C-alpha cells in the first residue's frame, strides 16, 4: 500500500461532492496529524473490531470539533473516523495510513464546517483495506457545541 506524504494532503481538508437521486452530500476529508496525547475525557468513541480483535478507535471531541483516530493493530489496514450530518448534507472523514505505532492522531480542520448546536447523526470508526470497507464500529449520534 502506498503511503501518502504528509505534504499537501495534511495541509488542508479535501472536499468532494457525492450526488444521489435523493440528495447531495459534501464530503470533507482530512489526513490526520500525530496528536501526542489521547482524546479528552467526555469524548464520544466508537471501536471497530476485525479478525477477532480490536482494530481501531475513533472519537469525537465536541469542543473544537476534533476527530481522533487510533489504529490498534499492526495488520496493514487503516482506521478512519467518519461522521455524517444528514440535515445539512455534510460528511466528514479523518484518516491516516501511518499504522499502529504512532498512537493517537487527530483532525482539527472541520471546526468551521460543523454547525454549532447540531447533531452528527452517523459517527463511527471504520476499518479499510485501501478503499474497501472491511468493518464498521458502533454508530453514534453525537452533539456538537
Amino acid at each position: 500500500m502506498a503511503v501518502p506524504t504528509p505534504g499537501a494532503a495534511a495541509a488542508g481538508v479535501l472536499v468532494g461532492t457525492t450526488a444521489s437521486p435523493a440528495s447531495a452530500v459534501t464530503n470533507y476529508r482530512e489526513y490526520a496529524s500525530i496528536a501526542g496525547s489521547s482524546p479528552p475525557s467526555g469524548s464520544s468513541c466508537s471501536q471497530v473490531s476485525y479478525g477477532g480483535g480490536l482494530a481501531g478507535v475513533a472519537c469525537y471531541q465536541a469542543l473544537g470539533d476534533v476527530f481522533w483516530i487510533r489504529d490498534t493493530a499492526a495488520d496493514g489496514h487503516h482506521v478512519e473516523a467518519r461522521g455524517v450530518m444528514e440535515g445539512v448534507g455534510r460528511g466528514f472523514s479523518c484518516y491516516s495510513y501511518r499504522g499502529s505505532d504512532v498512537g493517537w492522531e487527530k483532525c482539527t480542520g472541520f471546526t468551521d464546517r460543523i454547525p454549532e448546536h447540531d447533531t452528527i447523526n452517523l459517527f463511527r470508526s471504520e476499518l479499510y483495506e485501501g478503499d474497501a470497507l472491511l468493518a464498521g464500529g458502533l454508530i453514534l449520534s453525537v452533539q456538537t457545541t
Side-chain angles (χ1 to χ4, degrees):
M1 173 184 353
V3 178
T5 58
V13 177
L14 302 175
V15 181
T17 301
T18 305
S20 70
S23 66
V25 174
T26 301
N27 292 300
Y28 298 96
R29 277 178 66 78
E30 182 179 342
Y31 192 77
S33 60
I34 297 173
S37 63
S38 55
S41 63
S43 297
S44 300
C45 298
S46 169
Q47 297 180 344
V48 61
S49 296
Y50 187 74
L54 181 65
V57 182
C59 298
Y60 173 72
Q61 173 189 340
L63 184 60
D65 297 314
V66 180
F67 282 45
W68 295 78
I69 55 172
R70 183 166 188 188
D71 187 337
T72 59
D75 56 10
H77 307 307
H78 74 275
V79 176
E80 294 192 16
R82 290 194 175 240
V84 176
M85 299 185 79
E86 295 174 309
V88 296
R90 294 181 190 158
F92 304 92
S93 178
C94 176
Y95 68 100
S96 172
Y97 298 102
R98 289 187 187 97
S100 59
D101 291 340
V102 301
W104 283 102
E105 298 178 76
K106 63 183 177 179
C107 293
T108 60
F110 302 136
T111 189
D112 291 336
R113 294 173 173 88
I114 295 177
E116 294 182 3
H117 311 293
D118 208 330
T119 303
I120 298 175
N121 307 97
L122 306 168
F123 178 85
R124 75 174 182 168
S125 55
E126 295 182 343
L127 184 69
Y128 286 85
E129 173 66 38
D131 290 335
L133 177 65
L134 297 176
L138 178 67
I139 296 173
L140 306 173
S141 178
V142 296
Q143 298 300 308
T144 67
T145 58

